[in-house]
């Protein structure tokens, strides 16, 4: 029960990795406020539905979570969207969506959460970047760029806010078996189960990640066991390096 008495806000809580993070935090004693467009199916102590593209919603989320839970010790900026294609195939809408959800929303949430955490004596923020934010990946130029941006923001914030007792780190998954990955396969005409099994063969560990594999690392970064980690980008990739 590492998180007894801790209060956490998780965005993208209805998605594959987000739902696993919420389950794991609650199983270890945390009170969790869940944020996503629709959180009606997610068990939690507080429900804060909304659209992260709405700046006022993102700005207000940390205070809403603090008010609902009686404090805010942990923020997990997990929500994300993926747009595919090279720059020449990227629409203005893809650009606005990707930057809005993957970069601007976590920026707004961190900006609002840091003073709340500082006043309470500290806290932990875990952002979700990607292996594709550390090195380039093919045919997803803007997605990779947004994940590089959140990775950089994490390193900078980790440095800038350590003295306030706030540890800010990021998890960097490679492929994870979630709706984000599976709908991508389906859109391209592949059977998701077959594609996930085939992709697993390319991973040294023999399978792609399940959401729980990522959630466990997020919980570690949010826990006191990571007390000396600030601005770290932790790859969780089953041994598969992005070329
Ligand atoms: P997912 O699609 O299952 O979940 C993402 C969640 O974010 C969804 O529930 C969605 O509703 C929410 N979201 C998206 N836009 C939103 C908005 N405007 N307002 C509110 N909520 C919004 O995807 P996932 O695989 O669980 O992804 C979680 C995180 O992990 C993302 O940041 C993603 O980029 C990252 N990631 C995923 C993989 C992978 O292979 N699945 C790999 C590396 C990184």
């Amino acid at each position: 029960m590492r998180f007894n008495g801790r209060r956490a806000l998780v965005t993208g809580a209805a998605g594959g990795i987000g739902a696993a993070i919420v389950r794991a935090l609650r199983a270890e004693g945390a009170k969790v406020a869940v944020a996503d467009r629709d959180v009606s199916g997610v068990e939690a102590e507080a429900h804060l539905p909304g659209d992260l593209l709405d700046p006022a919603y993102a700005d207000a989320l940390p205070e809403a979570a603090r008010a609902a839970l009686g404090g805010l010790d942990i923020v997990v900026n997990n929500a994300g969207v993926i747009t595919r294609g090279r720059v020449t195939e990227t629409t203005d809408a893809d650009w606005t969506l990707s930057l809005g959800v993957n970069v601007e929303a976590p920026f707004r949430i961190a900006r609002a959460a840091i003073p709340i955490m500082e006043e309470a004596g500290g806290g932990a923020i875990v952002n979700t970047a990607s292996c594709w934010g550390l090195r380039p990946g093919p045919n997803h130029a803007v997605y990779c760029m947004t994940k590089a941006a959140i990775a950089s923001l994490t390193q900078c914030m980790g440095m800038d806010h350590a003295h306030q007792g706030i540890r800010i780190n990021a998890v960097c998954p490679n492929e994870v078996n979630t709706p984000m990955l599976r709908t991508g396969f389906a859109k391209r005409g592949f059977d998701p189960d077959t594609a996930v099994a085939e992709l697993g063969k390319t991973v040294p560990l023999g399978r792609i990640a399940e959401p729980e594999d990522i959630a466990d690392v997020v919980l570690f970064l949010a826990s006191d066991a990571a007390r000396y980690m600030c601005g770290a980008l932790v790859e969780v990739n089953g041994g598969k390096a992005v070329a």
Side-chain angles (χ1 to χ4, degrees):
M1 299 298 273
R2 281 179 295 179
F3 296 99
N4 253 342
R6 303 283 169 93
R7 286 80 35 115
L9 166 66
V10 180
T11 71
I17 297 171
I21 294 168
V22 173
R23 280 194 302 272
L25 280 169
R26 295 183 75 232
E28 294 210 48
K31 288 192 173 125
V32 182
V34 289
D36 206 310
R37 278 181 297 231
D38 178 3
V39 286
S40 54
V42 187
E43 277 186 46
E45 282 61 42
H47 293 81
L48 304 171
D51 185 348
L52 288 170
L53 292 172
D54 173 3
Y57 169 71
D59 286 342
L61 258 182
E63 174 53 28
R66 191 205 59 75
L69 302 176
L72 184 63
D73 307 292
I74 296 163
V75 170
V76 183
N77 277 314
N78 159 78
V81 291
I82 193 162
T83 53
R84 297 184 168 76
R86 301 170 189 179
V87 160
T88 45
E89 294 147 359
T90 300
T91 64
D92 285 7
D94 290 338
W95 174 266
T96 304
L97 175 68
S98 301
L99 269 289
V101 177
N102 295 356
V103 185
E104 185 173 337
F107 150 71
R108 288 183 178 280
I109 291 168
R111 185 176 63 178
I114 287 165
I116 294 172
M117 290 176 164
E118 184 185 19
E119 205 185 322
I125 299 177
V126 184
N127 296 321
T128 306
S130 168
C131 291
W132 277 8
L134 304 178
R135 284 174 295 278
N139 296 317
H140 290 76
V142 168
Y143 177 75
C144 293
M145 180 271 288
T146 62
K147 291 300 180 179
I150 191 66
S152 174
L153 202 58
T154 300
Q155 291 177 307
C156 295
M157 293 193 299
M159 190 181 281
D160 288 343
H161 300 288
H163 75 281
Q164 293 158 297
I166 302 166
R167 296 184 305 97
I168 304 174
N169 296 290
V171 67
C172 304
N174 205 337
E175 296 109 348
V176 191
N177 189 11
T178 70
M180 178 181 276
L181 189 88
R182 298 176 70 87
T183 55
F185 284 134
K187 270 186 204 157
R188 282 173 281 164
F190 302 116
D191 170 56
D193 284 336
T194 311
V196 163
E198 284 302 312
L199 196 55
K201 294 177 189 165
T202 69
V203 182
L205 215 51
R207 61 175 179 82
I208 67 165
E210 292 299 323
E212 290 73 18
D213 298 320
I214 310 306
D216 280 349
V217 178
V218 169
L219 262 68
F220 163 69
L221 290 173
S223 78
D224 293 342
R227 61 193 169 274
Y228 204 68
M229 295 181 74
C230 300
L233 307 176
V234 181
E235 275 191 83
V236 187
N237 63 11
K240 181 176 173 181
V242 178

